[in-house]
Amino acid sequence: MGDKPLRLNQNHVTGTVEHLRNIVESPGYFDEQARGVVVGNGFVRVRGGQVDLLPHAPDHRATHQAPVEWHADAVAPMWLAFLHSCFEGCDDGADRIALVQEFFGATLCGLATSFQRCLLLHGPGGNGKSQVIGVLTGLLPAKTVSHVPPHKMDEEYWVSRLATSWLNAHADLPSKQVAAGPFKEIVAGDPMSARDPRGLVYDFVPRAAHIFSMNSLVSTGDNSDGFWQRLLVVEMPNSFRGKKGQIRDIAEVLLRDEASAIFTW
């Protein structure tokens, strides 16, 4: 070509990028991620009921890192005290705390859809529902958290937000009827179709856990067991409004002082 400049237009560039993508693309590569999560000091693997801390490695195929570290002996006294106050007076308070603990673990390690359940925190205002959601949200990178309400789960553009999400959290859900069919499929991790902002349709397998809060229970036209079995309802009956010693925005304090310990919990 000598000294003649190379002339490129948008079609040349787009075609080149598409060709290179076809060469290197490996569909389903990240579907084979190791079960666990990357933290600051390694990879926390969950397998066969055993939790191990492994060195960082590309073979884990992880796409994000939680903003915490894993320390097996860490304790979170302020977090546990907060939870006990939320369920004080409940005969099964310890069981409710254990359920929240299991849900946190399944969420952080990408195992939530294996259980095909979402967590619904229910009760009057000022009882800690949004603080529990805030703590769980703060244990994950912002890019892995979505906020898709159940009544929007039949809309392809909203569903597309779940493609890269590990946690779908929405506090104070409005009293709108849930899109029951898509809701059941998404919570169960069934393959879905979505549409990105450019209008392109694509398929993906949801991995997100779902946690919601409401002052009144959800509305739906589906009264089947298949719908109601997707919901783990945790009643939070104790209101802290106006009580002496209340810590405003306690989720921020907990994440500042005990984030890694809560993750280990």
Side-chain angles (χ1 to χ4, degrees):
M1 297 177 60
D3 296 330
K4 187 176 181 180
L6 179 64
R7 297 184 181 276
L8 297 174
N9 58 35
Q10 184 63 44
N11 289 337
H12 292 143
V13 174
T14 301
T16 300
V17 171
E18 183 69 18
H19 178 66
L20 291 174
R21 191 188 72 170
N22 290 336
I23 293 174
V24 302
E25 186 177 33
S26 178
Y29 179 82
F30 290 107
D31 293 341
E32 303 300 324
Q33 287 180 337
R35 292 300 189 181
V37 60
V38 176
V39 294
N41 59 335
F43 180 80
V44 179
R45 183 184 65 184
V46 179
R47 187 169 64 181
Q50 180 72 28
V51 179
D52 298 302
L53 181 65
L54 307 177
H56 292 127
D59 289 344
H60 299 140
R61 304 187 184 186
T63 56
H64 70 266
Q65 176 179 314
V68 295
E69 292 188 349
W70 166 269
H71 299 288
D73 58 350
V75 293
M78 187 161 46
W79 168 243
L80 293 177
F82 166 70
L83 289 178
H84 283 293
S85 67
C86 289
F87 301 112
E88 185 177 2
C90 300
D91 292 339
D92 61 347
D95 292 334
R96 300 187 198 191
I97 292 173
L99 176 57
V100 172
Q101 182 181 29
E102 289 182 26
F103 185 84
F104 269 47
T107 299
L108 295 169
C109 292
L111 300 170
T113 54
S114 301
F115 300 97
Q116 302 185 8
R117 301 288 191 276
C118 75
L119 194 65
L120 176 61
L121 306 178
H122 176 252
N127 59 1
K129 300 189 301 294
S130 62
Q131 302 303 318
V132 171
I133 292 176
V135 168
L136 180 55
T137 299
L139 297 177
L140 287 165
K143 68 178 182 179
T144 67
V145 179
S146 58
H147 307 282
V148 181
H151 67 275
K152 292 290 188 180
M153 289 183 176
D154 60 348
E155 300 183 23
E156 290 177 321
Y157 288 111
W158 279 88
V159 172
S160 68
R161 183 63 186 88
L162 299 173
T164 58
S165 175
W166 273 46
L167 174 65
N168 184 49
H170 203 295
D172 298 323
L173 285 179
S175 299
K176 295 186 177 181
Q177 187 157 305
V178 173
F183 170 79
K184 290 187 289 187
E185 294 170 356
I186 289 170
V187 171
D190 294 338
M192 302 291 300
S193 292
R195 189 182 300 271
D196 70 17
R198 296 170 298 172
L200 300 176
V201 177
Y202 62 94
D203 297 326
F204 74 99
V205 177
R207 294 192 66 178
H210 301 267
I211 185 170
F212 309 112
S213 69
M214 294 189 75
N215 294 338
S216 57
L217 288 177
V218 296
S219 171
T220 178
D222 184 347
N223 290 313
S224 68
D225 290 342
F227 175 80
W228 291 107
Q229 287 176 356
R230 295 287 190 270
L231 296 174
L232 291 171
V233 180
V234 176
E235 295 287 344
M236 300 184 68
N238 298 330
S239 177
F240 302 107
R241 285 179 176 168
K243 288 193 174 181
K244 187 177 180 180
Q246 178 189 10
I247 301 176
R248 295 184 60 84
D249 300 319
I250 191 171
E252 295 181 9
V253 177
L254 289 166
L255 289 169
R256 182 193 67 203
D257 296 344
E258 296 187 346
S260 291
I262 295 171
F263 176 88
T264 301
W265 170 80

